[in-house]
Amino acid sequence: LLPQPCRRGTHPRRDEVELVMATAVAKTNPAKPVKRAPTGIVSDPIADMLTRVRNANTARHPEVKVPASKLKLEIARVLKDEGYIAGYEVEADGTTQTMRIIFKSRPDRTRVISGVKRISRPGLRVYARKTEIPRVLGGLGIAILSTAEGVMSGRQATRQGLGGEVLAFVW
């Protein structure tokens, strides 16, 4: 037999992986368990939110749904105040809250958000003094900071003379 047309020493399915996700099972009837929607365990919920926003924006979706929390609502508020999104709404269904982020587009149908990057993460926290607040793309983007006075953009933090944790860059 002739050799397969691939690099020598590699298997064509070497990159196959199996996605494993936890699922919640209701305990109403032990004989007949009902499966619910998969509950993903997220170690960095802010990065998950920013990734969902980035992916939905790139795919040109008009909106995206994200699990809500106080910090995520504050980040969405900053994005709305700075003009990067059209708005956001909180939808409550039972015990869980979901935030719906509505994207904004320019008259030529291009998106307002062209990039999102998570800066401070659980493995490496990034803090900035009031004199060292980073400028994104020379002032064309914003840095989202978590300060002692709440979540705000880099410009607001500079105006108020505050430093804090640099959560993300948006441009």
Side-chain angles (χ1 to χ4, degrees):
L1 293 174
L2 294 173
Q4 295 294 324
C6 63
R7 290 187 328 189
R8 184 179 169 104
T10 61
H11 192 271
R13 290 190 285 272
R14 69 185 179 281
D15 294 327
E16 278 188 10
V17 294
E18 183 179 345
L19 180 63
V20 179
M21 185 176 283
T23 56
V25 178
K27 296 286 185 183
T28 55
N29 186 356
K32 195 174 182 184
V34 178
K35 278 194 169 185
R36 291 186 187 165
T39 58
I41 300 166
V42 180
S43 64
D44 190 3
I46 305 304
D48 179 58
M49 172 193 169
L50 295 175
T51 301
R52 288 182 192 215
V53 167
R54 184 186 314 112
N55 291 343
N57 189 47
T58 305
R60 299 185 156 281
H61 291 298
E63 62 187 35
V64 65
K65 291 189 177 183
V66 179
S69 71
K70 289 181 184 179
L71 185 57
K72 291 179 191 177
L73 288 171
E74 288 298 309
I75 291 172
R77 182 190 54 78
V78 170
L79 289 175
K80 183 173 178 355
D81 291 346
E82 293 292 325
Y84 284 97
I85 60 173
Y88 63 96
E89 298 171 354
V90 179
E91 301 168 351
D93 50 336
T95 58
T96 61
Q97 286 188 336
T98 305
M99 178 173 50
R100 188 166 63 105
I101 299 173
I102 303 150
F103 292 115
K104 186 189 250 189
S105 59
R106 295 188 182 105
D108 60 348
R109 296 184 52 142
T110 58
R111 293 301 179 127
V112 174
I113 297 175
S114 56
V116 178
K117 185 176 181 184
R118 174 79 156 128
I119 302 301
S120 184
R121 48 194 174 87
L124 179 65
R125 299 290 183 186
V126 178
Y127 298 96
R129 291 190 175 103
K130 65 179 182 180
T131 57
E132 299 170 351
I133 294 175
R135 295 185 61 186
V136 182
L137 292 181
L140 296 177
I142 62 165
I144 301 175
L145 273 75
S146 174
T147 66
E149 300 293 321
V151 178
M152 59 184 70
S153 69
R155 286 189 205 102
Q156 288 175 323
T158 304
R159 248 184 263 126
Q160 294 183 14
L162 296 169
E165 183 179 358
V166 182
L167 297 176
F169 289 164
V170 181
W171 64 94

